Amino acid sequence: MRIRFRNGRVYDPANGREDATADIHVLDGRVVEAPGPGERIDEEHDLGGRIVMPGAIDIHSHIAGGKMNLARMLMSEEHHATIVPAEGACLCGSGIVTPSTHVTGCRYAEMGYTAAFEPAMLGSNARHAHLEMADIPIIDTGGYLVLGSDDLLLDLLARGERPETIRDYVGWMLTATQSMAIKTVNPGGINAFKYNARRLDLDEAGPRYGLTPRAILTALARAVHDLGLPHPLHVHGCNLGVPGNVATTLDTIGAAAGLPLHLTHVQFHSYDTEGDRRFSSGAARIAEAVNRTPTLSVDVGQIVFGQTVTASADTMTQRGTAPLAHPRKWAAMDIECDAGCGVVPFRYRDKSFVNALQWAIGLELFLLIEDPWRVFLTTDHPNGGPFTSYPELIRLLMDRDYRLARLAEIHPEASAHTTLGSIAREYTLAEIAIMTRAAPARSLGLRDRGHLGPGAAADVVVYDDLPDRRAMFERPRMVFKDGVLVARDGRTVTVTKGSTHVVRPGFDDAIGRVVARHFEERIGIKAKHFAISDDEIRGGDGPVRHGARGQG
Amino acid sequence: MALHEDVTCPLCGLGCDDLAIEADGATTSPVRTACALADGFFRRGAPAVGPRVAGKAATLDEAMDAAAERLGRSRSALIGGLAADVDGIRAALSLAERIGATVDHGGSAALFRNLAVLQRTGWSVTTFAELRNRCDLLVVVGPDPTPRHPRFFERWVAPPLALLPEGARRRVVFLGGAPSAEARQQLAGVDVSEVPLAGGDLPDAIAAIRAALRGHGAEGPAAALATELREARYGVIAWSAGQLDTLGADLAIEAVMRLVREVDLITRCSGLPLGGMANAMGANQVCVWRTGFPLRTSFAGGTLRHDAGALSWEHHIAECDAALWISALGAGPPDQNPDGPLILLCGTGEEPPTEPDVLIPVGTPGIDHPGHVFRGDAVVALRVGALVSRGLPSVETVLQGIEARIASVPAAGGAAS
C-alpha cells in the first residue's frame, strides 16, 4: 500500500523541516523516500497547502491501571453524566476526566495524538495496567515503573549496596514489568507514610531505613543513567502542592548533580510563599533553573478550570489534600510493600485565588522556559484536567490576545500576582511541533515516532491552518496511524490496534536471586510469577522493544 | 504423568502460587494445596459430556450456531456468571455490546456491598503483602473468612512481621465472630482474642469503638479495642462482605470505613475487603475500564446503563429473554432459571442438574489454558497456566465464535451495530 501526501506544509522538527512544502510518501505504514517514476501510488491526498505534522505523543497521562479504575468507580456521577453511545466506528463508553479505554484511544486519535504513556505504573499493578492498555485502541502506549518507596530498594540502599546492585535491581524490575522508563514519586515518602510520617523533606531521613529522599532520588537517577535508559529518571518530587516547594524543587534539580532528570507536572512544584496569602508563583525561578540546566527536562501539568479527579501514587500528599475533595469523597490505598495510590476529586475554579494562580503559574512556566525541546505539554491528565484540554492550552500558548482575555476573567488578585500579562511570547507552530512530537519522541528514545523522515512510522496528521488554534488542534482534517486513516475532521473513522512500547536494557541477572528471596519471604508471590512475559502484552502481540542508549 | 510445581490457583482470590498438581492425560489431581477448595478445584477428569443442544449431543459448531441464533434474536439478554479469565470477560463484554445485553458476575452481591461504600464515602484499604509485613493489629469483623479463603491466615497473617521493628508482635481480634479450628491452627503462636457483640449488631459495635476513640465510654471491650487501634503501628480491619449476610451489610462496611479513617488520623489504619471468588474482581475491573461502570451494566440500545439494583443478575434473570451463563471457574450454574433460553458455558464437573437449552463445556483457566485473574485485593493480577490438554475451548474462543455468527446476520434490533 503506497500513499502520497502532496503539497503539504511540513512541520518535522526532528528533520529540520519548518513549514517546508514537501510530499510525504508512505509504503505499508512507514514513511519512505520518494519512489522512482512509474511506481504505482495506491492512494493520493492533495493537501493543498495544509499543515502536516507527525502524530503527537503524550509523555505523561494517567490512562490505565488500578488507580484509574478506582477513580472511575469513585466518580460514578461523572460517568452517568458523560455516557458515549456507540456511533460509527466507535463503541460505547463513558467519562471525560477518566474515560473508558475505548473513549481514551478515540479521543486521543481524534486530536492527532498517536501515543500516550502511563507515567505511574506500580510493579504490583503492572499486569493490570498492561491488560487495560491492550484495550486502548489506535494509539501506542507504554508505562513508567514507579520505584523509590518499594521496601526492597530501600533495604538495598540502607544496607549500602553498590550502585551496580541498584542498577541491576532497577533493570530487573523494569524488565519484569514491561516498562518504558523509571519514575519516582515522592521518593521515600510513600514508604514513610506507611510508618505514619505525614511529611518528608528532601533532606529528612525517613523512618526505618534512615534514607533521605535525596539519597533515593540520586541512586535511582544514577541507575537509570547507568542502564542507559533513553528517558531520564521521571521525578514527581517531594512536597507536591505545598506553598514554598519551589525551594524543594530547586534543591531536587541540584541533587541530580549533572545526571539527566525529568521533573514532571512541575507546575505543582513551583509555589512560593510571598504575598498576604503566603502563596505565590515560583515559576520564574524554576524556569531560570531549567534554562541554565541542559540535562533537565520538564512537563508542566497545567491545570484547567472545571471538575476533575486527581489520582497519584503519592499517598502522603493525597491524604493531606483529601479534606479538599470535591465532591467530598476520596480513596487511598497502601500497596504491596511497593507504593500506594490516592484518588481525590477536585474542582479547579477560576474565581479561586489559589486555583487561578496555579493556572497562571503553569502558563508562566511554558512561556518562560526557552527551549521547547525540554518542556512538554501536559495537564498530568487527569490531575490538572483532562487531556482533551490540550487544544485550548495550545491556543493559550500561541495567542497572546486570547491569553490576556482569559487572564482578565480569573480571580483579580491572582492576576495581580502573576507576570503572565507582561509576557509577550507566542509559541510558533514549529515550537508546538517540537513540544508535542519531536521532543517527547527523542526523550523516550522512540526513533521511529515523532518525525516524518524515511523509516518513521506513518503517523501523519493533517491540519487546516486556522487562526483559531484551538479549533485547528481539536479537529485535524486527517489523522493516520501507521498509515491507516483513523480519524477525519475530529471523528474516529477506523479503530485499529495500538502497540505497547518497552525498553530492554542489559544488566546482571544475578540480582534475580535477591529479588526472588524478597518475593518469597515477604511479598507472597513468586518472582517468576510476578514477571510479565512478552505474550501477555497487547493480547499476545508482544511489546515493541527499544534498546538502551548505545544498543542497536 | 507430570508433576507441576508452583501452580497458581485462580479460585478464591488469595492468589496462592505454591501448589503442586499432578497431570496425567486428561486428569489433574492435587498433590499439595493445603486448601480444601483448591483440592476440589484441581481434581478434574476427562469431560463427561460434550456440547448439547436441546438435550441432544451436538458438535461445538452446532452448539455455537444454536447459541448465536438464540442470543441474536434476544432484546434484553443477560450475560451472567462471568466466572472466567480476563480474555473470557473481554469476549463477554464484546458480545454484550453486540447484542445489547446486561452483564453481571454470579458472585457480585458481595462486591456491590463494598462498592456502595466506595461510591458514597470513599475507600481506605490495603493489600495482602502490607498486611503480612506491617500489620501489628488485625481486626476481623464478622465471620471467620477461612471457609471462603482457606489459607488467608496461613499466608498473610502467620508469617513474621518483617517490616516492623524487632520485637513487634501481631495481634488478631475477631469482632463479632470466632476463629474456626482451622484458623486457630494457622494462627498458632499469634495472640488471638475475640470481642463478641454485646447484644447489638456489627454497626452498633463499631459505633461503640468510634465513640470510645473520641473519649466516650472509657471501659469495656469497645474501649479496649479503641485503645489497641490507637496504639497499633499499622492496624488493618478486614471483613468478608459475602459473609456479612445481613440487610445492613453495607452499613457495617461504611461504619468500618469511618472507623478506619478516624484511626488513620492518629496512627496508620486501613481496611481490607476479602472476596473475589471466581475472578469476580477481574470481571469488575475489566467492565470498569471498558465501560467506565462496574458490573450490572446494560448495553441495550447501543448505549450504557448502570444500575446496581435493577441490573443485578438476580433481578434481571427473571426479566431477560435469553441468558448466557459462564462458569469456567467453578462457580456453577445460576440457582434461578430464566423464562427464555439458557445457554450455559461450564467447566468440567459443573454440569447442571437440569438441562439448559444449549450446553457448551469449556476449558478452565489455570487447568486447560493460560489466563489472567485478579486477586481479591483488586491490585494484583495473576497469570495462571495450563496443566492438561483436554480439547476444551476457552470461554473467549466460544464467545468470539458466537459473536462472529451473530455479526454475519443482520441484527434483530437492540444491538449496537
Side-chain angles (χ1 to χ4, degrees):
Chain A
M1 178 74 171
R2 205 177 262 285
I3 309 173
R4 174 162 64 176
F5 297 94
R6 285 179 54 222
N7 296 323
R9 287 165 53 201
V10 176
Y11 285 81
D12 180 15
N15 295 304
R17 291 191 283 188
E18 177 181 342
D19 203 1
T21 299
D23 292 356
I24 307 272
H25 292 269
V26 171
L27 177 63
D28 298 335
R30 294 263 152 193
V31 177
V32 291
E33 302 277 7
E39 189 78 49
R40 197 171 71 95
I41 307 285
D42 301 290
E43 190 178 306
E44 181 153 82
H45 299 277
D46 187 345
L47 303 185
R50 290 195 179 85
I51 287 167
V52 181
M53 293 187 188
I57 298 165
D58 194 342
I59 201 163
H60 187 109
S61 174
H62 299 283
I63 49 173
K67 66 188 180 308
M68 299 323 297
N69 256 3
L70 201 50
R72 290 176 184 120
M73 288 191 280
L74 192 70
M75 301 297 283
S76 49
E77 296 86 353
E78 204 231 16
H79 281 267
H80 281 288
T82 57
I83 290 170
V84 183
E87 192 187 351
C90 283
L91 301 174
C92 53
S94 65
I96 291 171
V97 301
T98 49
S100 50
T101 44
H102 193 88
V103 174
T104 298
C106 292
R107 293 292 174 274
Y108 262 119
E110 288 161 3
M111 295 195 312
Y113 274 74
T114 49
F117 289 84
E118 163 57 54
M121 197 162 76
L122 307 191
S124 50
N125 190 242
R127 188 171 267 119
H128 167 170
H130 283 295
L131 289 168
E132 185 173 340
M133 284 194 275
D135 275 340
I136 298 176
I138 306 175
I139 62 168
D140 285 2
T141 56
Y144 309 161
L145 175 69
V146 174
L147 293 176
S149 280
D150 43 323
D151 284 283
L152 178 51
L153 173 70
L154 301 192
D155 194 36
L156 293 172
L157 288 173
R159 289 201 312 240
E161 292 288 354
R162 296 175 312 143
E164 293 78 7
T165 305
I166 305 304
R167 174 201 65 199
D168 293 340
Y169 168 67
V170 172
W172 192 96
M173 288 292 290
L174 178 100
T175 305
T177 55
Q178 302 275 0
S179 300
M180 186 65 190
I182 299 293
K183 184 196 196 188
T184 192
V185 177
N186 190 354
I190 305 166
N191 187 277
F193 181 58
K194 293 174 183 174
Y195 294 98
N196 203 30
R198 307 284 162 149
R199 189 188 160 109
L200 190 67
D201 275 322
L202 188 65
D203 290 308
E204 189 177 348
R208 184 169 178 89
Y209 303 101
L211 296 166
T212 62
R214 180 191 295 268
I216 300 166
L217 180 105
T218 50
L220 283 172
R222 177 158 179 196
V224 166
H225 181 262
D226 291 352
L227 284 166
L229 304 188
H231 190 57
L233 181 65
H234 197 91
V235 179
H236 159 151
C238 318
N239 292 330
L240 180 144
V242 177
N245 64 13
V246 59
T248 314
T249 307
L250 293 170
D251 284 348
T252 304
I253 293 169
L259 290 167
L261 221 56
H262 177 86
L263 296 186
T264 189
H265 41 66
V266 73
Q267 178 274 130
F268 289 110
H269 302 269
S270 301
Y271 304 151
D272 218 332
T273 52
E274 287 169 12
D276 296 345
R277 297 169 188 255
R278 314 293 297 157
F279 181 71
S280 60
S281 172
R285 294 171 68 190
I286 297 296
E288 194 272 323
V290 176
N291 289 340
R292 75 176 136 76
T293 314
T295 49
L296 185 66
S297 61
V298 301
D299 67 82
V300 170
Q302 175 68 29
I303 71 151
V304 293
F305 300 120
Q307 177 71 51
T308 194
V309 56
T310 65
S312 170
D314 189 348
T315 43
M316 178 183 266
T317 294
Q318 292 293 74
R319 189 66 185 78
T321 54
L324 304 173
H326 177 95
R328 293 177 61 87
K329 55 183 181 179
W330 50 275
M333 289 187 82
D334 293 326
I335 294 176
E336 289 295 278
C337 306
D338 179 1
C341 90
V343 178
V344 182
F346 218 84
R347 186 175 182 84
Y348 296 110
R349 295 179 300 119
D350 61 359
K351 299 298 187 272
S352 143
F353 171 77
V354 170
N355 297 164
L357 199 54
Q358 288 179 299
W359 177 85
I361 290 168
L363 293 175
E364 286 176 357
L365 287 163
F366 275 117
L367 295 164
L368 296 174
I369 295 172
E370 289 154 7
D371 181 1
W373 287 91
R374 294 192 290 118
V375 56
F376 305 119
L377 183 79
T378 68
T379 56
D380 187 18
H381 165 86
N383 294 341
F387 65 78
T388 43
S389 319
Y390 292 167
E392 162 75 5
L393 202 42
I394 290 172
R395 183 169 183 197
L396 286 166
L397 298 179
M398 293 190 73
D399 182 342
R400 182 171 186 236
D401 291 342
Y402 181 67
R403 191 159 72 222
L404 292 176
R406 291 295 289 131
L407 183 62
E409 293 168 14
I410 67 169
H411 191 287
E413 281 185 56
S415 68
H417 276 74
T418 172
T419 59
L420 191 56
S422 66
I423 303 176
R425 182 175 172 194
E426 292 181 329
Y427 269 67
T428 63
L429 278 176
E431 287 175 323
I432 294 293
I434 292 168
M435 166 191 259
T436 59
R437 274 90 171 159
R442 188 173 81 174
S443 180
L444 288 168
L446 299 169
R447 290 178 195 172
D448 62 350
R449 307 273 161 182
H451 73 97
L452 292 172
D459 296 352
V460 182
V461 187
V462 177
Y463 296 101
D464 289 318
D465 187 4
L466 303 177
D468 177 350
R469 299 304 191 187
R470 174 177 170 157
M472 170 176 168
F473 282 95
E474 248 169 13
R475 286 180 298 278
R477 182 54 75 101
M478 290 187 288
V479 181
F480 291 80
K481 172 72 178 17
D482 296 310
V484 176
L485 180 66
V486 292
R488 183 189 280 280
D489 299 326
R491 303 287 283 270
T492 299
V493 293
T494 311
V495 177
T496 58
K497 277 179 87 171
S499 302
T500 290
H501 295 261
V502 304
V503 61
R504 288 288 164 80
F507 58 92
D508 184 349
D509 246 347
I511 193 71
R513 288 195 300 275
V514 176
V515 177
R517 197 172 69 231
H518 170 78
F519 272 84
E520 186 72 35
E521 291 177 358
R522 298 191 176 169
I523 305 302
I525 295 175
K526 295 185 190 304
K528 63 182 178 185
H529 295 153
F530 172 85
I532 302 169
S533 60
D534 284 359
D535 66 350
E536 297 182 71
I537 302 301
R538 286 276 180 183
D541 290 352
V544 177
R545 296 149 166 252
H546 300 272
R549 273 181 285 112
Q551 289 179 344
Chain B
M1 196 180 294
L3 180 66
H4 296 266
E5 299 269 10
D6 297 341
V7 171
T8 301
C9 175
L11 190 58
C12 86
L14 286 187
C16 305
D17 66 349
D18 57 354
L19 282 59
I21 308 292
E22 199 167 77
D24 185 6
T27 304
T28 56
S29 341
V31 173
R32 189 182 65 248
T33 63
C35 171
L37 292 182
D39 246 32
F41 181 80
F42 283 102
R43 198 177 297 283
R44 305 255 169 169
V49 294
R52 295 164 73 88
V53 176
K56 294 199 180 75
T59 65
L60 178 60
D61 279 331
E62 289 165 350
M64 290 196 290
D65 287 343
E69 187 269 322
R70 285 156 175 80
L71 291 169
R73 64 180 147 86
S74 73
R75 288 170 173 275
S76 60
L78 167 70
I79 299 184
L82 296 185
D85 62 325
V86 165
D87 284 341
I89 290 155
R90 286 196 232 260
L93 287 162
S94 296
L95 178 61
E97 177 146 20
R98 169 77 56 185
I99 64 174
T102 295
V103 294
D104 195 12
H105 187 279
S108 68
L111 182 74
F112 276 91
R113 287 172 187 166
N114 291 330
L115 284 183
V117 178
L118 190 164
Q119 296 190 328
R120 230 172 13 234
T121 60
W123 207 226
S124 290
V125 294
T126 191
T127 66
F128 294 152
E130 299 288 359
L131 167 67
R132 172 159 151 164
N133 294 291
R134 277 202 173 81
C135 165
D136 53 350
L137 175 63
L138 170 65
V139 180
V140 178
V141 171
D144 175 9
T146 306
R148 292 198 181 203
H149 305 286
R151 296 178 67 193
F152 172 66
F153 292 110
E154 175 223 314
R155 296 203 349 109
W156 303 110
V157 185
L161 268 174
L163 297 176
L164 288 190
E166 266 182 55
R169 286 181 52 79
R170 174 140 49 207
R171 295 205 352 89
V172 179
V173 178
F174 286 81
L175 173 65
S180 60
E182 292 84 353
R184 282 200 179 279
Q185 196 181 356
Q186 291 177 29
L187 289 169
V190 180
D191 181 352
V192 177
S193 60
E194 294 169 40
V195 175
L197 300 181
D201 56 12
L202 274 176
D204 292 338
I206 296 159
I209 301 166
R210 291 176 59 204
L213 204 60
R214 283 186 241 112
H216 308 298
E219 283 173 31
L225 193 47
T227 304
E228 283 197 72
L229 282 165
R230 181 194 287 277
E231 290 175 356
R233 292 169 193 271
Y234 193 103
V236 172
I237 309 185
W239 69 94
S240 167
Q243 291 171 271
L244 298 177
D245 276 323
T246 59
L247 277 177
D250 66 326
L251 289 182
I253 297 163
E254 185 168 331
V256 167
M257 206 36 70
R258 290 187 189 281
L259 172 61
V260 161
R261 287 193 163 172
E262 284 164 18
V263 177
D264 200 41
L265 290 171
I266 305 161
T267 180
R268 289 307 319 278
C269 188
S270 287
L272 181 68
L274 296 169
M277 184 78 85
N279 202 23
M281 218 51 84
N284 192 59
Q285 293 282 24
V286 180
C287 191
V288 172
W289 80 56
R290 290 267 292 238
T291 68
F293 294 103
L295 296 163
R296 302 184 175 177
T297 289
S298 155
F299 292 85
T303 188
L304 294 169
R305 186 164 76 89
H306 168 70
D307 187 330
L311 295 178
S312 72
W313 74 263
E314 293 93 334
H315 273 98
H316 196 59
I317 198 165
E319 293 160 13
C320 68
D321 58 359
L324 168 68
W325 192 268
I326 299 159
S327 171
L329 275 172
D335 55 13
Q336 305 169 50
N337 278 324
D339 276 347
L342 173 66
I343 296 133
L344 186 65
L345 271 52
C346 69
T348 53
E350 295 176 39
E351 295 78 10
T354 57
E355 183 81 32
D357 295 83
V358 181
L359 174 70
I360 303 179
V362 290
T364 297
I367 293 177
D368 294 284
H369 61 85
H372 293 108
V373 298
F374 275 74
R375 217 169 65 175
D377 55 15
V379 168
V380 175
L382 307 158
R383 188 183 215 203
V384 296
L387 304 176
V388 288
S389 178
R390 299 184 290 177
L392 290 164
S394 67
V395 169
E396 180 192 29
T397 302
V398 172
L399 295 184
Q400 287 179 344
I402 293 172
E403 191 187 342
R405 284 164 169 78
I406 293 170
S408 67
V409 296
S417 50

